Structures are given as structure tokens and as C-alpha cells.
Amino acid sequence: MHRGCDAVPLMKFCRKSGCKALVADGYCEAHSDTARKFEQQRGSAAERGYDHKWKVARARFLRHNPLCVHCFEAELVVEATVVDHIIPHRGDLTLFWDIQNWQALCASCHGFKTAKEDGGFGNAARG
């Protein structure tokens, strides 16, 4: 920042899907409890199936599928760091463990896919 500059923070839209309120960061006043409620409803990573068994399966899958499939389709060679569920499992353990429903993605592609499916990071499209 320059001396004597009265910089104003860049305003962003509220993280609640569809809300047009401008905020410095996160949620507007009307949706300030959204993130907390979302995390409570969502449950912990272990409660959603991401336990030691998952970590072992994930590591094995990435060893056998080391490249991001989306980047590879675009003729780019990028290391995969995430095992993505092609069809979101939403708690269905059969779908969760179906290896045919897994794909190797880089963090960037996974973030893009998640935002597109959920309506934005931290924004549940279903409510």
C-alpha cells in the first residue's frame, strides 16, 4: 500500500449461492451462520467415510492413476492429488467405495468441479 493511500478492500459477493450482497469476505449478515450450519449438517470427514481405510485406498488409487484426467484430456501433464467421486456419493457408501466412480484430479480441477456442482465453495446447491 502506498503512503497516504486510503485503500478500500475489494468487495465480493456473499458466499451463499444466489445472494448478491457485497461483503469484504465470507457471508453477509443475513447468511453469517450458513457456514457453521453447513459444517454441522455435513459431519466430520470420518463421519463421511474419509477415514484410515479411505486414506489407504486413495493412496493406492493415486499411485496407479498419477495424472489428472481433466488436464490429460486437455493434453496437459499435471499430477493428480485428489481422488474425486465422479457422481457425488452424498453419504451413499456403495457409491463412495465404487472404484468405477473414482477419478484422479489435480486440486485445481477438483475445486472447479466441486464449485460447479455445489454452486460455489461452501455453498450447498441443494439448500
Side-chain angles (χ1 to χ4, degrees):
M1 189 181 315
H2 294 70
R3 280 185 164 171
C5 179
D6 293 322
V8 176
L10 180 63
M11 300 300 280
K12 306 171 193 166
F13 286 116
C14 170
R15 291 181 66 188
K16 173 71 177 168
S17 184
C19 181
K20 300 299 181 199
L22 293 174
V23 295
D25 192 36
Y27 294 91
C28 68
E29 198 170 309
H31 299 114
S32 61
D33 64 344
T34 299
R36 182 182 49 78
K37 283 182 181 176
F38 176 73
E39 288 303 320
Q40 285 176 341
Q41 291 171 348
R42 188 175 175 201
S44 70
E47 289 170 338
R48 295 189 326 266
Y50 298 98
D51 55 10
H52 177 72
K53 182 180 173 186
W54 169 254
K55 288 179 184 176
V56 171
R58 175 195 170 280
R60 184 180 324 111
F61 188 82
L62 289 175
R63 265 195 313 277
H64 294 284
N65 301 276
L67 300 178
C68 172
V69 295
H70 289 183
C71 290
F72 191 75
E73 288 169 1
E75 299 182 1
L76 300 170
V77 177
V78 178
E79 178 186 20
T81 57
V82 178
V83 176
D84 174 63
H85 292 91
I86 299 166
I87 300 168
H89 60 85
R90 307 223 191 280
D92 177 342
L93 291 180
T94 302
L95 193 55
F96 182 94
W97 288 108
D98 181 359
I99 198 167
Q100 300 302 312
N101 189 41
W102 297 358
Q103 65 182 343
L105 297 179
C106 65
S108 179
C109 286
H110 183 259
F112 181 79
K113 178 181 180 275
T114 301
K116 196 168 145 186
E117 289 174 351
D118 292 349
F121 295 100
N123 296 326
R126 46 197 180 282

